[in-house]
Amino acid sequence: MVLERLNLLSRRQTLQWLIFASSTFILGACTPPKQTSSGNDLGDAKPSPSMSFSLGVTTWIGLTPLLIALKKGFFQELGLRVDLKTFGYNPDYISGFLAGKLDAIAPVTSEAVLLATKGKDYRIVLVEDNSVGGDGILARNSISSIKDFKGKKIAVEKGAVSHFFLLKVLTAVGLSEADVTLVNVDPAGAAAAYQVGNVDIAVTYAPFLKQANLAQPDGRIIYDSSQIPTAITDVYLFATEYIEANPEAVEAFVKGVFKGLGFLNQYPSEGLAIAAKELKIKPDALAADLKGISIPDARANLEMLGNKQSDSYLRSPLMDVARFLANQGKIDTIPDMEQFLEPKFVKAALETL
């Protein structure tokens, strides 16, 4: 996996190298560069898990509770093996899920809407996090405002969360995709292209966002997701076929993630060290990056997935995303996203935690 080499390089060398590496992600298609199971590394006497599933993700700080649960053996204690497959390019895990090569994925809401329009039968069983500053746009100091993006080249991963985020920001100031030139590159490569001067504007997310911002003195984070906190929510969703055949596995997964979150809250230093090692960043950098997202606990998750009267009920932002994508010509129909919300596994976890 690319991130396994980051600690061997300086920040500047890393970002330059990732410009080349980003192209190799695309060639990788649905072959994941890394797999991690929920078994621990100590070879203890715990019984082998009787349930398993494959989960496709991209490197993201919101996975912190999951990574802790994997390393601490929480899933194994619940009889579950999680086959974690980490992709460097968001559309790859979407393609893998659509093709039935993955049982579950951890997409953002815009990707969940796109899946719904492709006829994929799935259910959102857990909210991973809400971005409240973890996603952002880097711009040179010569660019004074978002309106100045007109006519500029922007490094962004087309068809993924950064693309959607950029479109929302452009629309707010009266611009459209036709007013800019998009350079298609993954979030790591976008940060790299910005730092070495290939582009004046880049859209990316943590940990690449702050890394590139610190490494490039001529520029700043001109806009981040704290200004539109409902625009980017990460979720865990499973194929309905898998859920119906393996409800106990899905329940164990949800419980395991909450155990990981509980461990992070109770033992923050150890939890951060575990996740930071997997993400190939320093614990203090991860702690800073986590301030850019909110990770809902079981009660907050139940509100988001199951309480139709709650202001945080996820259907509303999902429908906002769907309508926006339709207005942008990205989807032909607007699906009713309420049908994809499944709170019963969070409810079961809440009763036992």
Side-chain angles (χ1 to χ4, degrees):
M1 181 182 176
V2 168
L3 290 179
E4 290 176 343
R5 294 185 56 187
L6 295 194
N7 60 328
L8 303 178
L9 306 169
S10 72
R11 178 178 288 119
R12 183 175 180 85
Q13 289 170 325
T14 294
L15 291 174
Q16 289 173 329
W17 177 72
L18 280 169
I19 293 176
F20 168 77
S22 64
S23 66
T24 67
F25 284 141
I26 300 173
L27 297 176
C30 291
T31 303
K34 179 180 180 181
Q35 297 186 31
T36 304
S37 75
S38 61
N40 61 47
D41 297 327
L42 301 179
D44 62 20
K46 292 179 182 178
S48 298
S50 58
M51 304 176 290
S52 67
F53 72 91
S54 56
L55 170 63
V57 303
T58 54
T59 301
W60 170 239
I61 58 172
L63 298 173
T64 292
L66 169 70
L67 297 174
I68 293 172
L70 283 167
K71 285 299 177 181
K72 295 300 292 185
F74 295 153
F75 295 121
Q76 187 177 16
E77 291 171 0
L78 294 164
L80 178 65
R81 174 187 172 88
V82 179
D83 227 356
L84 188 64
K85 302 175 184 289
T86 304
F87 293 78
Y89 186 57
N90 288 48
D92 287 349
Y93 71 70
I94 297 294
S95 298
F97 186 61
L98 286 171
K101 296 180 179 180
L102 297 169
D103 299 311
I105 56 174
V108 291
T109 45
S110 55
E111 292 169 340
V113 170
L114 292 170
L115 281 170
T117 64
K118 293 182 180 297
K120 183 65 176 180
D121 194 6
Y122 69 84
R123 295 295 181 269
I124 296 171
V125 303
L126 185 65
V127 177
E128 180 184 324
D129 63 79
N130 294 304
S131 181
V132 289
D135 296 77
I137 304 175
L138 298 156
R140 293 279 186 260
N141 291 327
S142 59
I143 298 172
S144 61
S145 70
I146 303 297
K147 288 184 178 181
D148 292 335
F149 284 15
K150 187 172 183 178
K152 298 290 194 302
K153 289 183 179 180
I154 303 176
V156 64
E157 184 178 22
K158 289 186 179 180
V161 57
S162 295
H163 189 187
F164 164 73
F165 179 63
L166 174 64
L167 290 177
K168 289 281 287 186
V169 174
L170 290 176
T171 300
V173 298
L175 297 179
S176 71
E177 188 171 331
D179 293 313
V180 298
T181 299
L182 302 186
V183 180
N184 189 24
V185 64
D186 67 34
Y194 169 80
Q195 189 203 330
V196 301
N198 289 349
V199 295
D200 291 336
I201 307 166
V203 190
T204 187
Y205 50 65
F208 315 115
L209 178 66
K210 289 185 178 179
Q211 288 176 349
N213 187 48
L214 289 172
Q216 175 52 260
D218 179 22
R220 78 286 195 202
I221 300 172
I222 193 171
Y223 196 99
D224 67 40
S225 54
S226 66
Q227 292 161 268
I228 44 174
T230 62
I232 303 177
T233 297
D234 297 276
V235 299
Y236 291 107
L237 59 83
F238 283 73
T240 302
E241 182 180 9
Y242 180 86
I243 293 175
E244 292 176 346
N246 306 275
E248 297 87 356
V250 180
E251 183 175 331
F253 170 73
V254 172
K255 288 180 180 178
V257 173
F258 284 140
K259 289 188 72 173
L261 178 58
F263 187 90
L264 176 64
N265 292 333
Q266 188 172 2
Y267 307 104
S269 295
E270 184 179 355
L272 287 169
I274 290 170
K277 183 177 180 181
E278 294 301 302
L279 294 168
K280 305 303 175 188
I281 58 177
K282 299 294 184 182
D284 58 347
L286 176 57
D289 283 336
L290 285 175
K291 294 178 181 179
I293 64 173
S294 62
I295 302 176
D297 61 14
R299 293 189 182 280
N301 249 280
L302 193 57
E303 287 284 297
M304 297 181 76
L305 295 178
N307 187 351
K308 297 181 181 181
Q309 281 69 53
S310 174
D311 290 339
S312 61
Y313 187 48
L314 196 58
R315 179 186 183 274
S316 179
L318 278 168
M319 294 306 297
D320 286 344
V321 170
R323 285 188 286 268
F324 179 81
L325 291 175
N327 290 336
Q328 292 290 318
K330 303 302 179 183
I331 59 176
D332 296 325
T333 59
I334 301 176
D336 183 358
M337 296 303 297
E338 187 169 35
Q339 64 184 303
F340 298 99
L341 303 179
E342 181 49 84
K344 69 180 182 181
F345 299 107
V346 170
K347 186 179 296 185
L350 190 58
E351 292 172 354
T352 58
L353 290 174

